[in-house]
Amino acid sequence: MDEVKTGTGAEEKPRKKRKALKLKDLGLGVPATGGEVLRDAKEVAAIESHWRGLGGGKAAKGGKKLKYIDELARLQFELIKLQEWVRVNGLKVCVLFEGRDAAGKGGVIKRITESLNPRVCRIVALGTPTEKERGQWYFQRYVAQLPAKGEIVLFDRSWYNRAGVEHVMGFCTDAEYQEFLRACPLFEEMLVQSGIILIKYWFSVSDEEQEKRFTERMRNPIKRWKLSPMDLESRKHWVEYSKAKDAMLEHTDKKLTPWYIVDADDKKKARLNCIHHLLQQIPYQDIAPVELDLPPRQSDDGYKRPKKSKQNWVPEVY
């Protein structure tokens, strides 16, 4: 879509040619304001164009330069197969996405979920704990969000907040932090033993790339909401966060519940690599959907639709 035409909805006599309103006039055409919105819209449209007749396709061979849209469409098609396999077989899948601020966690979660059924695959992004939650067992509010049979749950940050921001910024005591490092592997082992498929991703981004993304968020009103005071504060504690991450991996990167590190300096490659890897973690098969027959529409039997003039219709501006 290159332009948006607007009008008042009333005919002018003689009718004059409407002036085309450019996207840049709406603040949507330049990177500094809304370039990402337009890019995302084009990405979605391009992906949708691949769905017609797409049978899953073949992965590009090693050494070939991948076309991002082509491969993302193929991977999303596979995610739908995985989703159906999880639903039919009653699997419980829990995926954690952790990493520094602006590392690209939200971007990959968005690409995973945009083609899936929200009743099967849901996102959990908990806010600051309430006073009541602070008095509970630390893992309690996360347990309430764990997947039931036939569900995929994606945690956009998780119980690992205690190993990162809470520890570095002093939101928990040292005793609480040490107890988390001790208890977390046991907690996750319990989850796995209960039948939950637990997959953990850490998105790794360089200092230079994070600074670039923060600067973009500061200047871009479409992304401005993503930048919180805590994100800015985290820049001052870069080394402390690095040490916290190292300690977290040392205590919780277990054979039963390993961490998988995603190189996230290139957003598009990170998305493809993460989704590809996720698909490899759960053996699944393509379940042929049940063929449906479209029933005939019920006959009118004397039904008369009310006059349109008596209803409030949205004006056809476009």
Side-chain angles (χ1 to χ4, degrees):
M1 178 171 147
D2 296 319
E3 60 184 33
V4 178
K5 294 184 179 180
T6 63
T8 61
E11 292 290 335
E12 295 183 13
K13 296 182 179 180
R15 186 173 181 178
K16 296 180 181 179
K17 186 177 181 181
R18 293 172 181 163
K19 181 181 178 182
L21 184 62
K22 302 293 184 180
L23 285 172
K24 65 180 180 180
D25 298 327
L26 297 173
L28 298 176
V30 291
T33 54
E36 185 176 7
V37 172
L38 184 57
R39 289 196 302 271
D40 284 353
K42 287 181 176 180
E43 178 181 299
V44 171
I47 290 173
E48 288 179 351
S49 69
H50 284 260
W51 286 90
R52 296 184 183 88
L54 182 63
K58 295 181 179 179
K61 294 180 180 178
K64 271 193 174 182
K65 185 177 181 181
L66 293 178
K67 289 186 177 180
Y68 171 68
I69 295 296
D70 296 347
E71 190 65 1
L72 182 57
R74 187 190 71 82
L75 292 172
Q76 288 185 339
F77 194 88
E78 293 300 316
L79 283 170
I80 291 177
K81 297 178 186 178
L82 173 62
Q83 170 191 248
E84 189 64 6
W85 182 261
V86 168
R87 185 189 69 82
V88 170
N89 289 279
L91 302 183
K92 297 177 288 186
V93 180
C94 181
V95 189
L96 311 187
F97 294 88
E98 295 286 350
R100 292 186 185 272
D101 300 312
K105 301 179 295 298
V108 72
I109 291 173
K110 177 180 177 181
R111 271 69 183 185
I112 291 172
T113 58
E114 62 187 4
S115 62
L116 301 183
N117 183 347
R119 293 182 178 87
V120 177
C121 181
R122 59 184 172 89
I123 302 171
V124 174
L126 299 182
T128 304
T130 64
E131 192 62 33
K132 179 180 178 180
E133 288 171 334
R134 290 191 185 97
Q136 295 175 343
W137 175 47
Y138 175 71
F139 295 101
Q140 190 166 335
R141 69 181 188 137
Y142 296 103
V143 169
Q145 301 295 333
L146 292 172
K149 286 186 176 181
E151 266 195 324
I152 302 172
V153 175
L154 310 179
F155 278 87
D156 187 352
R157 296 201 180 281
S158 65
W159 46 86
Y160 281 98
N161 279 333
R162 174 139 295 179
V165 61
E166 289 191 18
H167 170 59
V168 173
M169 302 308 297
F171 297 150
C172 67
T173 66
D174 186 61
E176 290 172 329
Y177 169 67
Q178 294 297 332
E179 171 58 17
F180 172 83
L181 294 180
R182 183 199 69 81
C184 185
L186 302 176
F187 170 68
E188 292 180 349
E189 182 179 349
M190 289 169 58
L191 298 184
V192 174
Q193 295 295 345
S194 73
I196 291 177
I197 299 172
L198 180 63
I199 305 168
K200 304 186 296 186
Y201 290 111
W202 175 271
F203 278 67
S204 177
V205 66
S206 66
D207 179 14
E208 295 77 14
E209 182 62 24
Q210 187 193 55
E211 182 177 359
K212 176 183 173 182
R213 294 177 187 179
F214 273 4
T215 301
E216 182 184 3
R217 290 182 179 185
M218 292 171 65
R219 297 174 179 173
N220 187 342
I222 303 297
K223 289 184 174 183
R224 183 64 182 80
W225 65 271
K226 294 183 177 183
L227 195 61
S228 69
M230 190 58 62
D231 295 335
L232 299 178
E233 190 67 23
S234 70
R235 288 286 297 172
K236 301 178 183 178
H237 301 272
W238 178 274
V239 176
E240 292 174 57
Y241 271 100
S242 296
K243 292 178 180 178
K245 179 209 55 172
D246 294 341
M248 178 194 77
L249 293 178
E250 181 181 352
H251 286 82
T252 63
D253 184 15
K254 303 296 183 180
K255 185 176 181 179
L256 188 64
T257 57
W259 277 101
Y260 298 105
I261 314 300
V262 180
D263 185 345
D265 272 3
D266 186 313
K267 287 184 178 180
K268 291 184 177 180
K269 288 184 178 180
R271 293 166 189 166
L272 297 180
N273 288 330
C274 183
I275 297 174
H276 179 271
H277 183 271
L278 176 61
L279 289 166
Q280 307 305 309
Q281 304 313 301
I282 307 170
Y284 66 96
Q285 297 176 15
D286 185 6
I287 301 177
V290 177
E291 293 189 10
L292 303 175
D293 292 322
L294 187 65
R297 185 176 71 87
Q298 181 184 15
S299 60
D300 291 343
D301 291 333
Y303 167 77
K304 290 184 179 180
R305 181 175 180 174
K307 291 183 179 180
K308 290 185 177 181
S309 60
K310 293 184 178 180
Q311 299 171 331
N312 297 315
W313 287 74
V314 174
E316 294 186 5
V317 178
Y318 303 104

